[in-house]
Amino acid sequence: MQNLYYNVNDLVNESDVEQKFLYKFLTNELPLGLGYSDSEINTKPCIKSYIINKGKQKTYIPDYLISIRGIPLIVVEAKNPNVVLNEAFAEAQLYAHQINNEFIHNVNPCNMVIVSNGLETWFGYIDSATPFVQLQNEDLFVGNVKFSEAIDKCCKKHLSNMADTIYKNCRANAIFRTPVSSLGGQRTINEEMISNDFGNALVSDYKNIFDPETENDRLNIVRNAYVHSVKREQHIEPIYKEIKKIKVPSLNDSTLLSTDNPKELITNVDKHITDKAKQCPLILIIGNRGSGKTTFIRYFKEKILDSSYQNISNKCEWCFLDMNYAPLDNNEIYEWVKENVIECIKESHAQIIDFDSKESLEKLYKKRIDSFKKGEGKYIEADTNLYNKELYNIIKDAKADKDLTLKGYVEYLNRYEDKTPIIVFDNCDKRNKDKQLLMFEVAQWIRKQFKCIVLLPMRDITYDMYKDQPPLDTFVRDLVFRIDPPDLLKVLINRLAYIERLNKNNIQTTHYTLENSIKVQIRPDELIDYYRQILRVIRNDDWARNIFYRSTNRDIRGAIQLFEDLCKSGHIKTSEILNMKLIGKDYHLPSYKIMNALLRKNRKYYNENNSNFINVFASDYKDDFPDPFIRLDILHWLTIKKDVLGPSLILGYHKINQLTKDLQLFGHKEDIIIRELNKLIQKGLICTENQNESIDNDDLIKISPSGSLHLKLMKNISYLAACSEAVLYRNTAIKDNISKRLAIPSYLNLQNQILNAEDMINYLIDYKQKYYFNPETFIDKDCLIKTFDLYEIQNLIHKMKEDISSYENCIGEIVECTVKFIDKQSLLVTFDYDKRGFLAVNDPIFKLPQNEYENLKLENKLICKIISYDYSHNSYKLEFCSTCPNQL
C-alpha cells in the first residue's frame, strides 16, 4: 500500500526502513515531516555506544540520534519489517536513560524515542512502557489525527523550544555586561583619543595618493608610484613569501604575469589587433581582492604599450567602464554597456572629431546610407527634398539604434583610424559571484557582437570555483592571466617616495603641538621622514610585519588603510615619532603600542565596530544564552580543515552545513552560527566561494590569512586585553575588576593588560565548564573535532606573570653594562647578554653626571643599579654608579 513516503512492498530490510522512510520523515518540512536539518541528525557511525540491559551486557547504538545545540533529544531506531517493535522500543528507552545519566541532576533532555519497522511506527516517552502514538503505514498522510499528533510532539519546532529552555534556565535572571559599559554612558564608551597630528597631516594632505579615487589619481599612481609584481620574487619579505605559498587552482589554469614585462599579454593583444580576420578575445585578469588588477591594466596601457610598444598602442582605442555604476538587471546592463562605450569613444575624440557633424554621421552609418542609395533611394533621387528627408529619417533611426550606432563607431575606428577598441570592465570583482559571471557573459557578448577586445578583472576564487561550469567552462585558458599583488610594504614605500618628490623644493614649515604642549616646526620633507620611520618599525618588527601582511589578506587597499590607521592613532604619540627620528635605526617601538593603535584606532577603549580586528569572544546580550565561543570555534574548525580537500576538490573550502553539523554538537545554535559566519565573512576573516551578501548552507567557505591571524592573536596579550574590555560577563566581580583597571590612566600598561587578559580567560574557562554540555556523552570522541584549548592561553598568561616577577625581582641589583648607543643626553646599554637598559642626563633618577656622559664612548663599561623595568619599551631604567676601571 502506498502512503506519503513509500510503497510497503518496497521495504525489504532495515536499511530500506531507514532510507526510504525514517530519514525522509525526519527531514521533510512540516506538515509532511519533523523538519530536522541534516546537521541535527547524528548517524550510527558517530553515535556513542552504551551497554544497556546490563544483565545481558548488550552494546547498543541507535540508527539516529537527534540533537539540537549539543543536547540529545530523540533516539530513533529502525528495524526489519518482520521484527516486532516491543524489544526495540524498550532498548531505545534504556539507551536514552544512559545518556541522561551523563547530565547534571534534573536535566534529562533525551526523553523521546521513535522506533519503526515500516509497517508500524511507535512514538513514546522514556518513562512509559506504552507509546503515546502508534502509527500503521496507512496512517502516514497529512490530515490523519495520529500522524498530526506525532508531528506536533516530535517536530523540530517543539524540540528546539525544549533545548532552548535548558539554556534559558542556565541563564536565569543573570545580567551580562561589559567592563567598558560600567565606566559610563555612550560618551565614555566611545571616547576619542587626541589624534596624531603628524599622521592626520600626511594622510589628509595626500589622500589622493594613498587612496586614489578618480581616473587621474589612478594614472598618477601608475606613472609615479607603481610597484611591479614579478613571477618569482627572490628577496621579498619572509612573511609575505609564506603567505604567497597559499596555493590556488588558477595557478595551474592561468598564465602568471610579471607586471613589469607582461610579454604574454602583449603578444595576445598584438596578435588579435594585427590579424583582422581573428575574432577579438575576452581576456581575464584574475587575482585576489585588492591585488591591483585595476592599477595593472592602467600600467599596462600607460607604461608598457604607450611607452615601449607604440606600434601596438597606436592601434588601440581604450575604453574604461566603471562597473560600479552598471545596473544589475540582466536586460538593462546590455544597454548600459553600449551607451557607455559610445560615450567613451566620443569623449576620447572630442577635441578632434565632432561625431554629430554631417560628415561624421555619414561615416558612422555608411553601410546603412550606401544600402539606401543603391536601393530605395534610386526611386526618389530626382526629388531632392524627398530624398534628403528619407536620408534624414534613416540617420535619425540609426542613431536611436544603439547596436547599429556602436557598430558604426567600431567600424569608424577600424576604417579611418586603424584602431581596435579595448574595453575594460573596471571593478567587476567587487560584485558577488553571480554578478561577476553576469559581467563575464556581457563581456563575451560585446566582444563577439562589436569586434572589441575586452579586459575583465575577476576574483581568482570565482574563476577557480566555476571554471568547469557554464559560462566559464568553454573559456580559453590561454586568455586567463593571473596577477599576484606586489609586496605591500613596497607599495607604501613607493607612495611615500612619490610624496617626497612632490615636496622636494617645498621649504614651507608647519607647526605641530606635542602632548607636552611644546610647539615644533616641521618641513614637509621632515614629516615624510617620520613616516619612513613608521615603515621601518613595521619592517623591522616581526610581529608588526606579521600583522600587517596577514590582517590585510594581501589587499593593497587594505594595507594602505592599515598604515593610515597606524599613522593617525592617538595611541602612538607624536613624541614617539620624534623619538623614532632622534634615535634612528636602534629605536624600538613596542609591539603592544603598534597593536593598541591598530586595535583601537583612535578610540580610548576597544570596540570591534571601529577596529581592524574583531573580538573572537563576542556574544550578543539579546540571545537566550550569550555564546562567547562561537566565533573561536568557527575559525578553529576552518583551521583544522584548511589543508583538507573540500567537495570542490580545492584545499580548505568546505560546506557550511558540515561546519554547522560539527559545531552544534558543542552547544552552538544553528541560526547564531550562520549569523556569526556572516559577520566573519564581512570582516574578511572567512572567504566564500561566491562573495554573496547572504550565505547558504551549501556554500563553500575557507579561513583567510586574516582569520588565521586572529587565532595567532590568541597568544597576544594586547589583543586578549582588548577583548576583555568588550566581553559580556555574567560574573559581576570579574567585570568590575577589569572596569577599575580601565578607569586608571595606566590602563594600557603591560601589567594591567596581563591582569585583564587573565581575568577574561579564567572567566571563560569557568563559564564553559559550568554551562556547556559535553558532546562525548552521546557522540563517539573520534567523530568530534577538537575545539580551541583555552588552557593553553591560561598557561601562557601564567608564564608571562612569572617573567614579570623575575623582572621585578632583579630591581636593586648592581650590573655591569655596555654602552651601545649615545644620543642627546641619553644612553642605551645592554647587560647580562640580552637585557636592555636606559639612562639620561636630564632626569635626576638616573644620577648620570654631565661630565661622565660627555666622556663616554661606544662599548664602554658602566656599573649601574637597576631601578625599575619599563614595560612599554621592554628595557630597564638604570641608576649610574660608576665607570669601570680603565674605560676612559
Side-chain angles (χ1 to χ4, degrees):
M1 180 181 296
Q2 182 70 46
N3 56 46
L4 190 60
Y5 295 95
Y6 55 85
N7 189 309
V8 108
N9 296 325
D10 294 334
L11 301 183
V12 177
N13 52 39
E14 183 177 314
S15 177
D16 289 336
V17 176
E18 276 187 56
Q19 301 304 318
K20 294 178 181 179
F21 168 48
L22 277 177
Y23 190 79
K24 291 180 181 179
F25 176 66
L26 293 174
T27 56
N28 278 0
E29 292 297 327
L30 295 172
L32 303 178
L34 300 182
Y36 292 100
S37 64
D38 180 67
S39 66
E40 293 155 342
I41 301 174
N42 304 291
T43 55
K44 182 170 280 188
C46 286
I47 300 173
K48 183 176 181 178
S49 64
Y50 277 105
I51 294 175
I52 61 170
N53 199 0
K54 294 184 179 179
K56 297 181 180 178
Q57 292 292 299
K58 179 177 181 179
T59 300
Y60 178 85
I61 306 175
D63 293 295
Y64 299 116
L65 181 63
I66 307 297
S67 66
I68 297 176
R69 299 181 71 175
I71 297 175
L73 297 164
I74 306 178
V75 175
V76 183
E77 179 67 37
K79 288 297 179 182
N80 193 296
N82 59 14
V83 172
V84 178
L85 294 181
N86 299 70
E87 185 178 352
F89 187 76
E91 289 179 342
Q93 289 178 312
L94 288 172
Y95 183 84
H97 278 294
Q98 287 295 107
I99 288 178
N100 288 338
N101 287 341
E102 300 296 325
F103 283 78
I104 61 176
H105 176 60
N106 283 337
V107 177
N108 299 297
C110 195
N111 66 352
M112 284 191 181
V113 298
I114 300 173
V115 296
S116 177
N117 61 10
L119 303 179
E120 284 187 278
T121 304
W122 292 6
F123 301 80
Y125 297 109
I126 65 170
D127 57 357
S128 173
T130 305
F132 61 77
V133 169
Q134 290 178 272
L135 297 179
Q136 306 300 313
N137 69 80
E138 61 266 23
D139 295 326
L140 300 175
F141 64 89
V142 176
N144 182 280
V145 174
K146 291 194 292 183
F147 182 77
S148 297
E149 183 184 355
I151 294 285
D152 289 342
K153 290 184 177 179
C154 298
C155 69
K156 177 177 178 176
K157 182 179 179 180
H158 179 66
L159 272 295
S160 291
N161 289 334
M162 290 178 61
D164 292 344
T165 298
I166 292 173
Y167 282 96
K168 289 174 183 177
N169 290 337
C170 287
R171 175 170 184 161
N173 296 320
I175 297 175
F176 288 78
R177 293 186 66 188
T178 66
V180 173
S181 68
S182 298
L183 297 175
Q186 288 301 311
R187 183 175 179 179
T188 302
I189 293 170
N190 297 316
E191 183 178 348
E192 294 273 344
M193 303 283 289
I194 297 173
S195 62
N196 188 307
D197 279 352
F198 290 169
N200 277 335
L202 186 72
V203 171
S204 60
D205 290 350
Y206 302 103
K207 186 71 175 174
N208 61 325
I209 294 174
F210 283 117
D211 189 18
E213 293 183 355
T214 68
E215 189 63 26
N216 281 336
D217 291 343
R218 296 187 189 101
L219 290 177
N220 275 335
I221 296 301
V222 164
R223 292 164 183 162
N224 299 289
Y226 189 73
V227 179
H228 302 298
S229 176
V230 298
K231 286 183 181 178
R232 294 177 179 86
E233 296 178 280
Q234 301 299 321
H235 305 290
I236 61 174
E237 292 285 349
I239 294 171
Y240 190 56
K241 188 180 292 186
E242 179 189 339
I243 294 173
K244 287 187 71 174
K245 289 178 183 177
I246 299 172
K247 299 297 183 186
V248 293
S250 55
L251 285 172
N252 301 321
D253 297 311
S254 61
T255 303
L256 188 59
L257 284 178
S258 168
T259 59
D260 60 338
N261 184 24
K263 58 181 184 294
E264 300 92 345
L265 184 57
I266 296 166
T267 302
N268 258 285
V269 172
D270 184 32
K271 178 172 60 178
H272 291 93
I273 286 177
T274 305
D275 189 348
K276 299 292 185 184
K278 276 188 173 291
Q279 191 177 43
C280 287
L282 165 61
I283 297 173
L284 289 185
I285 307 293
I286 65 173
N288 66 281
R289 181 178 180 178
S291 60
K293 298 183 287 295
T294 294
T295 307
F296 164 71
I297 292 171
R298 283 158 179 79
Y299 179 83
F300 177 71
K301 174 190 179 299
E302 292 277 326
K303 289 290 190 177
I304 303 294
L305 293 186
D306 291 357
S307 299
S308 305
Y309 295 87
Q310 286 192 353
N311 58 322
I312 301 176
S313 177
N314 291 336
K315 295 181 179 181
C316 299
E317 177 71 25
W318 288 83
C319 181
F320 291 87
L321 303 184
D322 188 347
M323 304 308 286
N324 277 331
Y325 302 102
L328 299 181
D329 181 84
N330 288 23
N331 297 317
E332 292 179 11
I333 190 170
Y334 289 90
E335 289 299 310
W336 184 91
V337 167
K338 287 183 285 187
E339 289 172 5
N340 279 269
V341 173
I342 292 168
E343 288 303 313
C344 182
I345 296 172
K346 286 176 69 175
E347 187 176 333
S348 67
H349 289 76
Q351 302 300 318
I352 51 176
I353 300 173
D354 181 4
F355 279 110
D356 292 323
S357 68
K358 179 175 179 293
E359 294 77 13
S360 296
L361 290 173
E362 289 176 350
K363 290 178 180 179
L364 287 175
Y365 305 111
K366 187 176 186 305
K367 284 187 178 180
R368 180 64 62 91
I369 293 170
D370 286 348
S371 176
F372 167 74
K373 288 180 178 180
K374 287 188 293 185
E376 300 96 319
K378 289 290 184 183
Y379 293 101
I380 57 173
E381 61 185 354
D383 188 337
T384 304
N385 288 335
L386 180 59
Y387 183 88
N388 287 337
K389 185 177 180 180
E390 287 300 317
L391 194 58
Y392 162 80
N393 288 329
I394 287 171
I395 293 174
K396 182 181 177 182
D397 292 342
K399 283 185 73 174
D401 187 333
K402 292 294 187 295
D403 290 83
L404 185 63
T405 298
L406 183 52
K407 284 181 180 179
Y409 275 91
V410 173
E411 288 170 3
Y412 176 92
L413 293 171
N414 279 319
R415 182 190 297 269
Y416 299 105
E417 297 188 9
D418 191 26
K419 286 187 174 183
T420 299
I422 299 182
I423 302 173
V424 180
F425 279 34
D426 261 348
N427 298 315
C428 285
D429 60 337
K430 293 182 181 179
R431 306 285 192 174
N432 64 32
K433 176 263 297 183
D434 292 332
K435 299 310 176 186
Q436 286 186 69
L437 295 180
L438 171 61
M439 302 294 183
F440 175 85
E441 292 178 335
V442 175
Q444 283 281 47
W445 168 80
I446 198 167
R447 65 99 183 169
K448 290 177 182 177
Q449 288 289 106
F450 302 101
K451 297 183 179 177
C452 305
I453 295 174
V454 181
L455 291 180
L456 177 68
M458 179 179 282
R459 284 199 208 175
D460 48 7
I461 182 58
T462 303
Y463 178 76
D464 292 337
M465 287 290 186
Y466 300 99
K467 66 180 182 292
D468 297 322
Q469 301 176 31
L472 291 176
D473 57 332
T474 58
F475 193 71
V476 180
R477 300 294 185 254
D478 290 345
L479 296 175
V480 181
F481 296 93
R482 191 176 194 282
I483 290 180
D484 263 347
D487 187 313
L488 305 179
L489 282 175
K490 289 180 183 177
V491 171
L492 284 169
I493 290 168
N494 275 28
R495 303 276 171 106
L496 283 170
Y498 175 36
I499 294 171
E500 189 173 33
R501 292 195 299 273
L502 290 175
N503 286 280
K504 188 174 184 180
N505 300 316
N506 186 355
I507 60 173
Q508 184 178 356
T509 60
T510 305
H511 286 85
Y512 294 95
T513 303
L514 304 184
E515 293 81 8
N516 56 11
S517 300
I518 296 175
K519 290 186 176 181
V520 294
Q521 285 187 331
I522 306 294
R523 296 192 312 272
D525 61 320
E526 292 178 309
L527 179 64
I528 295 162
D529 195 40
Y530 296 142
Y531 288 92
R532 287 191 182 283
Q533 299 298 328
I534 288 185
L535 280 176
R536 180 185 58 76
V537 167
I538 295 173
R539 183 180 289 278
N540 293 341
D541 188 296
D542 288 342
W543 179 245
R545 200 162 64 251
N546 207 324
I547 290 170
F548 188 79
Y549 283 115
R550 292 184 185 277
S551 66
T552 56
N553 290 325
R554 303 177 70 197
D555 183 336
I556 293 171
R557 291 188 294 269
I560 291 172
Q561 182 61 57
L562 202 67
F563 176 70
E564 290 181 2
D565 290 341
L566 189 59
C567 288
K568 295 187 295 184
S569 173
H571 289 280
I572 296 181
K573 308 298 184 184
T574 50
S575 57
E576 203 83 55
I577 300 172
L578 289 173
N579 285 335
M580 293 181 198
K581 172 67 174 174
L582 188 67
I583 298 175
K585 64 181 181 179
D586 290 318
Y587 180 80
H588 176 74
L589 180 65
S591 298
Y592 87 90
K593 286 196 174 184
I594 296 173
M595 195 67 208
N596 281 329
L598 296 177
L599 276 165
R600 294 170 170 82
K601 291 189 178 179
N602 208 43
R603 288 180 181 266
K604 185 174 181 179
Y605 302 112
Y606 170 74
N607 181 327
E608 76 170 13
N609 295 325
N610 295 281
S611 175
N612 293 294
F613 302 93
I614 70 146
N615 175 9
V616 295
F617 300 114
S619 54
D620 193 325
Y621 181 83
K622 297 187 293 293
D623 292 340
D624 58 10
F625 190 74
D627 185 357
F629 306 106
I630 178 63
R631 293 181 177 182
L632 185 60
D633 284 347
I634 289 172
L635 294 175
H636 190 63
W637 189 93
L638 289 169
T639 299
I640 292 171
K641 301 284 187 178
K642 70 183 178 65
D643 294 322
V644 178
L645 285 175
S648 62
L649 300 182
I650 298 178
L651 281 178
Y653 275 95
H654 298 275
K655 283 193 174 184
I656 288 173
N657 60 11
Q658 185 58 53
L659 177 144
T660 305
K661 186 178 183 71
D662 287 346
L663 292 193
Q664 73 91 15
L665 293 172
F666 291 91
H668 302 307
K669 196 172 184 179
E670 186 172 3
D671 59 346
I672 296 176
I673 293 173
I674 299 301
R675 182 191 72 199
E676 295 304 322
L677 265 176
N678 273 307
K679 289 181 181 177
L680 294 174
I681 290 166
Q682 291 165 14
K683 291 288 188 177
L685 279 71
I686 294 175
C687 306
T688 67
E689 59 169 320
N690 56 24
Q691 300 98 48
N692 276 337
E693 292 180 1
S694 59
I695 53 176
D696 182 82
N697 272 332
D698 288 326
D699 286 348
L700 300 173
I701 56 174
K702 177 184 180 180
I703 193 166
S704 71
S706 177
S708 296
L709 172 65
H710 275 76
L711 288 182
K712 291 179 182 293
L713 288 175
M714 294 296 293
K715 295 183 179 181
N716 180 269
I717 286 296
S718 294
Y719 174 74
L720 293 172
C723 291
S724 75
E725 301 172 19
V727 163
L728 285 170
Y729 293 90
R730 182 189 184 111
N731 186 309
T732 303
I734 290 177
K735 183 262 298 178
D736 288 345
N737 285 340
I738 297 173
S739 293
K740 288 173 184 176
R741 296 187 198 109
L742 295 178
I744 62 177
S746 59
Y747 73 104
L748 286 182
N749 71 22
L750 187 56
Q751 301 103 309
N752 282 324
Q753 290 194 68
I754 289 174
L755 291 172
N756 286 346
E758 181 180 43
D759 278 350
M760 178 187 71
I761 292 298
N762 289 344
Y763 165 78
L764 291 171
I765 289 173
D766 182 64
Y767 187 81
K768 195 167 193 175
Q769 288 175 339
K770 283 183 178 177
Y771 302 114
Y772 285 76
F773 303 107
N774 184 3
E776 289 187 18
T777 59
F778 61 97
I779 297 294
D780 189 303
K781 64 180 180 180
D782 292 334
C783 293
L784 290 169
I785 63 160
K786 291 183 178 179
T787 55
F788 194 91
D789 185 5
L790 290 176
Y791 288 101
E792 184 180 343
I793 311 306
Q794 191 180 51
N795 293 336
L796 175 73
I797 294 172
H798 182 68
K799 175 68 166 57
M800 288 193 72
K801 288 185 72 176
E802 287 183 342
D803 291 343
I804 287 176
S805 295
S806 69
Y807 296 149
E808 294 173 347
N809 287 338
C810 68
I811 291 172
E813 287 185 10
I814 305 298
V815 293
E816 181 182 290
C817 308
T818 303
V819 177
K820 291 298 182 182
F821 184 77
I822 303 174
D823 198 51
K824 297 174 182 178
Q825 305 296 299
S826 65
L827 299 176
L828 291 178
V829 301
T830 60
F831 62 96
D832 291 350
Y833 302 105
D834 59 351
K835 294 178 181 177
R836 292 154 38 99
F838 175 79
L839 302 92
V841 174
N842 54 9
D843 191 332
I845 69 166
F846 298 107
K847 296 184 180 180
L848 178 62
Q850 182 71 39
N851 63 324
E852 295 279 8
Y853 167 78
E854 290 174 353
N855 290 317
L856 287 173
K857 297 177 183 178
L858 295 180
E859 301 301 320
N860 278 176
K861 306 293 184 181
L862 306 178
I863 302 298
C864 297
K865 177 180 171 182
I866 298 174
I867 304 171
S868 64
Y869 185 75
D870 184 349
Y871 296 97
S872 64
H873 290 91
N874 192 27
S875 66
Y876 291 86
K877 290 183 179 180
L878 304 174
E879 176 187 307
F880 175 78
C881 296
S882 67
T883 56
C884 288
N886 304 319
Q887 289 296 311
L888 299 180

